Amino acid sequence: MGQALLRLAGEREDIAVVAAVARSTPAQRVVDGVPHFSAAELVSVPEFDVAIDFSLPQGMAPLLALCEARGCGLISGTTGLEPEQHAALDAAAARIPVLWASNFSLGVAVLDDLVRRAAAALPGWDCDIVESHHVHKKDAPSGTALTLGEAARAGGAEPRYAALRAGDIVGEHMVQFTGLGERIELAHRATSRDIFARGALHVAARLRDRPAGRYRVADLLS
Ligand SMILES: NC(=O)C1=CN([C@@H]2O[C@H](COP(=O)(O)OP(=O)(O)OC[C@H]3O[C@@H](n4cnc5c(N)ncnc54)[C@H](OP(=O)(O)O)[C@@H]3O)[C@@H](O)[C@H]2O)C=CC1
Ligand SMILES: O=C(O)C1=N[C@H](C(=O)O)C[C@H](O)C1
């Protein structure tokens, strides 16, 4: 995701990347004009308006602390966060603008709405969420599957989850409603990670001038 973000940010005139942070740094400290920092060097990054985080749950606390100390916005797409980490995002939102989303694609935003409506229209049907991702993905069920599960619950269904890790699958989510003698399948298949990076950059550009608060992707679409 970091590489997709850097490439696509380079195509936008309204976004300047001042630093890239990973656990370790590449041998070359400046790549395509962007200085790279290790996680240990985080506090040394230059001034910024909004941080975009796609890392691992353990990367969250230091970045959130930096954003709060500097009064900057935070966009995070990191999944597998603990409930306490979501609570920390809520608390920080009293002081800075914060947006966390399990999925930055437009299609999944629409799927979320469809799942809520289908669940409400199909009381008593079984609801199963099946997600497939690449073998390197660490968390399961995926953040998106859990978000879709919340949508199903909001519509009155109690979902079950299944996760598949195989090859280089970018990300697929299927929500299946099964009744007696019939079945509905609502599915989203991502074929490029660029959709997530584009979505995150889109909302980052809009979060910059917002007051403190907890935002959703839908709040910043227009
Ligand atoms: N919300 C969404 O739309 C999407 C969310 N995701 C989520 O984004 C996250 C990252 O996914 P992906 O890019 O595939 O993962 P990768 O493993 O490819 O990349 C993770 C990056 O985070 C860095 N990192 C790991 N730990 C730390 C830390 N403690 N401090 C700073 N940087 C750290 C790694 O550095 P190094 O390379 O040095 O190890 C690496 O650059 C996952 O949680 C994934 O589920 C992914 C796609 C879309
Ligand atoms: O790790 C990934 O790759 C993805 N993670 C997100 C998730 O956990 O839902 C979003 C997308 O499916 C890709």
Side-chain angles (χ1 to χ4, degrees), residues 21-36:
V21 181
R23 246 180 314 212
S24 51
T25 50
Q28 209 182 334
R29 294 297 296 244
V30 179
V31 183
D32 294 333
V34 177
H36 283 53

Side-chain angles (χ1 to χ4, degrees), residues 113-123 177 184 186:
D113 182 48
L114 294 174
V115 168
R116 192 182 318 259
R117 286 160 51 195
L122 302 168
F177 292 93
I184 290 177
L186 300 173

